[in-house]
Amino acid sequence: YNSYSDAFGVIHNNLDKALEACNISGDKTYNRAAKMSAVSQFESHKQRFFNHLLTGMKCPQLIKAIEEDLAVGNAIVIQIVSTNEELLKRRLNEVALEEWKDLNLDLTPREYVMDYLMSAFPIHLHSIYSGVDGSERSEPVFDADGSPVISIEAVALRDALVDKLASLDPIPGALEQLLWHFGHKQVAEVTGRSKRVLKDESGRLFVDSRGSGANIAETAAFMQGDKQILIFSDAGGTGRSYHADLKAVNRRRRSHYLLEAGWRADNAIQGLGRSHRTNQASAPIFRPVTTNVIGERRFISTIARRLDSLGALTRGQRQTGGNGIFEAKDNLESNYAEHALYELFRQIYQGRFYKVPLGKFEQMTGLSLTSHEGGMKIDLPPLRQFLNRLLALRIDMQNIIFERFELLLSQQIEAAIAAGVYEMGVETLRAERFTVESQEAVYTHPATGSVTNYLKIERVQKNNIRTAIEMVEFAAKYQGQFMVNEKGRAAITIPTHSLFDSEGGVVPRVLLIRPQKETRLPIQGLESSTWQQVSIDAFTAAWSKEVDELPKFTTDYLHLMTGILLPIWKILPQQNSRVFRLQTSDGQKILGRVVNAHDIQTVREQLGLKNQLLSPAELVSLVLNEGYSQQLPGGVTLRRSYIAAEPRIELVNAISLAERLLAAGCFTEIINWQKRVFIPVSDKAPAILAAVIEILG
């Protein structure tokens, strides 16, 4: 891969030199259309080449996996997109018919690059002219016979590239590797190819012509069990089924390999459905085939993004589109990725990414971050172009750049999740029990009569508490350390992704895992805290003591707006627009927009809700955990205060009612010569708060 990467670096440099030699560009661009055409075709061929190269590189490992599957009695289905048919046709047209029975033909991905060099590499000389307005531009030069004049320098540059590429090790295309290894008598090919190159027992290559009924015959051979391997492409897969049909002879379980995802999500999912149908003896095993080459994320990203969109359109929730095959992080074409890329470019431009200086980055990728005025460009290269250019870098440089990009992307997503604005599509909530505690109509559409309802839902969740033994095993798996603080609380720290400071320096962090909470914090912050590393025995004792004291279930409340939402959308908080789906204990299915508890009072006032929305238990939780403050009757404010670093629930401006509040369970304390009123922080706090609200009227 690195050899081909170096070759493309040379092609890129020679392309720039050839454009200058042909007077298409120089101190400035003289013929923008000619330059854009040459560069565009180069990038297009490069992208296609590396896609085929990566697909071809997967085959040795894929062949091993197929042989293992065949050994356990599975039937093999391989899904591809491209078959190189057009390239093959062009190459065969250059070969005499009598040689078709004994070919000496190179059918490797590099043929795409050779094709570009011979047909699209700029070698036609241009002449520079001055326009009426004084601007300089160039036009192609033709001789007396009307033939274009060739630049000898550009031809020499092209020939040097052809010589360099021809000396590199060839990697055959994926389809050829599979057919040649297992033999065409064992492999059913269902593609749109009319001709293919096969290999006989002696290793000799020959051309095999496929008739119009070839795909039908090959499918039948596979379903009848005559062939145990089937390869299909987009063109050959339409309308056909390859599942373990109960009516078919071949009822072996299918191992379905997604060798090449392609660019269209609907085709990818449709292809996976070819081996997964009703009336089947067994469900298939889906096995996407990928490499650890970072550049391949370019292709995975596109299909993952389109699968997200497809799932959102067809089923109303994004996580269904890829059926779990791809993860959210595989989609590199989101808004968060755009922001991460901007920050990456800014760090490179400002010299804060020390491993990749600005000049080196621009030279390697051909991407310009510098404007003509000398500052950073406003119109920076888009994400797809950035990912395309990564493809042609050496493996080590891909890893360096992409590691920084992924850290920045993780930072963006983490910040969005913390702010409650991370876009997840429709999420399905799960709990032990959901119960509708109250329901109130808040809006009725005048024309249709459609109603918007406010639902307050009690949620009972089983606390997912892991035992000390489970945490010890977890620590061993993820390089964890055992910690206990001065209060005797236990935790495990494991490495997590870092952050970047304002100077571009890396801030290493750890993930602190508590029985019911996880927190990311800088290593420096951990070292200056009261957390201390301890032995396994000390950790086990502290963790076990803490989890034994925890309740088995937790009860909280959800505030949902359901029904017709668009007319009141602007009234609802804009910083969090998450939509949830849940099913209550009595079987009622609910889909609605969640309003955070600390926003519900404001929404209540704007919508004119009559019922009291927050219970005393909710208010206590919000005040203690989120610093929420609530205005109570009589000018009294309920808020969180810290006294000697401990959180308390304070009633501000309530001293005139101190005697009645003391009788209800509150207590007073003189701090800095001022008497203040507090509600005890205990399990009795909600009941005391309810009594306080009743006293205040």
Side-chain angles (χ1 to χ4, degrees):
Y1 195 97
N2 283 341
S3 297
Y4 278 106
S5 170
D6 293 340
F8 266 90
V10 175
I11 293 174
H12 198 275
N13 290 332
N14 281 19
L15 175 61
D16 290 338
K17 293 177 182 177
L19 289 171
E20 290 186 21
C22 294
N23 293 327
I24 294 173
S25 64
D27 294 333
K28 62 180 182 178
T29 300
Y30 299 113
N31 191 318
R32 186 171 299 276
K35 181 178 180 180
M36 287 180 65
S37 174
V39 173
S40 173
Q41 289 194 63
F42 169 69
E43 291 299 330
S44 174
H45 280 79
K46 180 179 75 174
Q47 185 174 315
R48 192 179 296 123
F49 166 80
F50 278 103
N51 181 31
H52 287 297
L53 179 66
L54 285 166
T55 306
M57 288 170 65
K58 298 173 191 176
C59 284
Q61 200 65 29
L62 171 63
I63 287 169
K64 289 181 184 178
I66 290 173
E67 288 173 340
E68 290 171 3
D69 276 340
L70 289 173
V72 297
N74 288 353
I76 312 301
V77 177
I78 304 167
Q79 182 176 340
I80 60 173
V81 175
S82 49
T83 60
N84 302 335
E85 184 182 21
E86 289 303 317
L87 182 64
L88 175 60
K89 283 182 178 178
R90 286 201 298 272
R91 288 294 169 264
L92 289 178
N93 288 337
E94 299 168 2
V95 179
L97 281 174
E98 54 269 18
E99 295 181 21
W100 280 21
K101 293 182 180 180
D102 187 7
L103 282 174
N104 182 15
L105 198 63
D106 185 3
L107 290 172
T108 69
R110 71 180 176 190
E111 289 294 292
Y112 280 104
V113 192
M114 294 294 195
D115 192 54
Y116 162 75
L117 291 174
M118 301 311 297
S119 62
F121 192 81
I123 58 172
H124 294 161
L125 189 65
H126 286 53
S127 181
I128 301 173
Y129 301 93
S130 294
V132 179
D133 57 355
S135 62
E136 291 183 318
R137 60 170 285 106
S138 64
E139 296 291 343
V141 178
F142 298 92
D143 61 19
D145 298 328
S147 301
V149 177
I150 304 300
S151 166
I152 297 174
E153 184 181 349
V155 169
L157 290 167
R158 182 194 66 184
D159 291 346
L161 293 174
V162 171
D163 182 68
K164 183 173 182 61
L165 280 172
S167 63
L168 293 177
D169 292 332
I171 297 177
L175 197 50
E176 282 71 33
Q177 287 191 60
L178 293 168
L179 280 168
W180 296 350
H181 179 84
F182 292 103
H184 62 281
K185 294 179 181 179
Q186 300 298 322
V187 178
E189 178 187 338
V190 186
T191 68
R193 296 202 299 184
S194 59
K195 290 182 176 61
R196 57 183 181 171
V197 176
L198 299 178
K199 184 183 287 187
D200 62 18
E201 290 81 358
S202 64
R204 186 176 56 183
L205 300 180
F206 65 95
V207 177
D208 176 48
S209 295
R210 288 162 48 85
S212 58
N215 286 343
I216 297 173
E218 292 281 64
T219 303
F222 177 72
M223 298 302 283
Q224 291 166 10
D226 298 331
K227 296 184 177 184
Q228 295 301 330
I229 301 173
L230 181 140
I231 304 174
F232 76 94
S233 66
D234 284 351
T238 307
R240 292 187 172 85
S241 299
Y242 313 122
H243 64 299
D245 196 334
L246 290 171
K247 297 178 182 178
V249 176
N250 186 358
R251 299 180 192 175
R252 294 186 178 193
R253 188 173 191 179
R254 298 336 189 211
S255 285
H256 187 134
Y257 290 91
L258 181 62
L259 178 59
E260 193 180 1
W263 304 96
R264 293 188 56 185
D266 52 351
N267 281 5
I269 291 297
Q270 193 176 49
L272 294 173
R274 300 278 167 225
S275 62
H276 193 29
R277 291 275 202 264
T278 55
N279 196 46
Q280 60 187 6
S282 59
I285 304 167
F286 289 131
R287 304 187 71 180
V289 187
T290 186
T291 69
N292 60 354
V293 175
I294 291 295
E296 190 173 14
R297 297 288 294 275
R298 167 66 184 95
F299 305 105
I300 295 295
S301 170
T302 296
I303 195 72
R305 173 179 61 83
R306 295 180 183 177
L307 284 170
D308 277 353
S309 302
L310 183 67
L313 288 171
T314 58
R315 304 196 193 179
Q317 60 182 56
R318 295 187 174 180
Q319 61 266 41
T320 59
N323 291 326
I325 290 176
F326 298 108
E327 299 178 20
K329 67 180 183 181
D330 290 322
N331 180 3
L332 299 181
E333 299 179 42
S334 62
N335 290 332
Y336 305 107
E338 293 283 359
H339 290 305
L341 181 64
Y342 173 77
E343 180 59 29
L344 175 69
F345 285 158
R346 199 165 63 142
Q347 289 188 8
I348 292 172
Y349 179 79
Q350 295 174 352
R352 293 189 283 132
F353 191 178
Y354 307 115
K355 293 182 179 178
V356 185
L358 175 61
K360 183 178 180 181
F361 176 80
E362 291 185 332
Q363 182 268 326
M364 286 189 307
T365 62
L367 298 175
S368 175
L369 308 184
T370 311
S371 67
H372 293 299
E373 294 77 21
M376 182 172 165
K377 278 185 174 179
I378 297 175
D379 186 18
L380 289 165
L383 187 64
R384 290 188 194 181
Q385 190 178 23
F386 165 72
L387 293 171
N388 278 343
R389 300 300 171 87
L390 270 189
L391 270 176
L393 301 183
R394 294 176 65 89
I395 298 291
D396 54 348
M397 186 52 65
Q398 284 188 33
N399 292 338
I400 289 170
I401 295 176
F402 206 83
E403 181 183 13
R404 176 64 65 103
F405 172 72
E406 279 198 314
L407 282 174
L408 292 169
L409 177 57
S410 299
Q411 199 168 322
Q412 290 285 335
I413 293 175
E414 185 183 324
I417 292 173
V421 297
Y422 185 57
E423 180 55 53
M424 301 276 292
V426 177
E427 298 178 72
T428 300
L429 289 177
R430 306 188 189 283
E432 288 292 310
R433 185 173 70 251
F434 290 108
T435 307
V436 177
E437 187 172 282
S438 65
Q439 180 171 334
E440 184 178 345
V442 298
Y443 174 82
T444 302
H445 193 270
T448 64
S450 299
V451 177
T452 305
N453 289 309
Y454 158 72
L455 275 69
K456 183 177 181 180
I457 297 175
E458 181 187 68
R459 174 172 59 179
V460 178
Q461 298 183 89
K462 186 176 182 180
N463 290 329
N464 182 23
I465 302 171
R466 286 179 282 191
T467 65
I469 294 174
E470 289 174 326
M471 293 308 297
V472 169
E473 292 174 352
F474 179 85
K477 186 176 180 181
Y478 294 102
Q479 305 170 23
Q481 293 184 335
F482 304 109
M483 314 293 288
V484 172
N485 65 11
E486 61 180 8
K487 294 181 181 179
R489 301 301 187 188
I492 279 180
T493 60
I494 63 172
T496 188
H497 56 264
S498 304
L499 292 178
F500 296 100
D501 58 24
S502 58
E503 300 299 319
V506 177
V507 180
R509 300 190 301 170
V510 293
L511 180 63
L512 186 75
I513 303 172
R514 301 279 314 282
Q516 286 191 293
K517 187 177 181 182
E518 294 182 356
T519 309
R520 286 184 172 87
L521 70 161
I523 291 178
Q524 189 174 0
L526 178 70
E527 291 172 347
S528 62
S529 71
T530 62
W531 289 101
Q532 298 294 326
Q533 189 171 351
V534 296
S535 66
I536 293 181
D537 292 340
F539 165 80
T540 301
W543 184 277
S544 299
K545 181 176 182 294
E546 187 172 352
V547 298
D548 287 344
E549 297 170 355
L550 292 173
K552 296 293 183 281
F553 296 90
T554 300
T555 301
D556 62 356
Y557 295 90
L558 293 171
H559 304 273
L560 261 70
M561 293 295 173
T562 66
I564 183 170
L565 293 178
L566 283 178
I568 67 162
W569 194 265
K570 289 185 178 179
I571 296 175
L572 302 178
Q574 298 303 302
Q575 72 271 20
N576 185 353
S577 57
R578 296 168 76 182
V579 176
F580 289 93
R581 175 193 290 112
L582 59 87
Q583 182 170 337
T584 61
S585 302
D586 59 4
Q588 181 185 0
K589 293 181 179 179
I590 298 172
L591 181 71
R593 163 92 182 265
V594 171
V595 179
N596 287 336
H598 52 73
D599 294 322
I600 199 67
Q601 293 296 103
T602 305
V603 174
R604 176 192 181 197
E605 295 169 5
Q606 291 182 320
L607 292 175
L609 289 168
K610 303 177 185 64
N611 296 334
Q612 178 69 32
L613 300 184
L614 293 178
S615 66
E618 285 181 280
L619 283 172
V620 168
S621 175
L622 283 169
V623 169
L624 283 175
N625 299 325
E626 300 185 30
Y628 177 73
S629 62
Q630 173 69 45
Q631 200 69 34
L632 300 177
V636 176
T637 300
L638 180 73
R639 75 175 190 188
R640 180 179 67 188
S641 299
Y642 279 93
I643 308 297
E646 290 291 335
R648 289 192 187 179
I649 306 170
E650 184 174 7
L651 294 167
V652 181
N653 298 327
I655 196 64
S656 60
L657 298 170
E659 289 187 13
R660 296 178 64 188
L661 296 176
L662 286 171
C666 297
F667 70 94
T668 60
E669 187 174 333
I670 297 174
I671 301 171
N672 292 331
W673 315 111
Q674 181 184 4
K675 183 179 281 190
R676 296 163 67 175
V677 183
F678 301 96
I679 294 174
V681 178
S682 68
D683 54 359
K684 297 179 181 179
I688 295 172
L689 178 57
V692 168
I693 293 172
E694 190 173 337
I695 291 171
L696 296 176

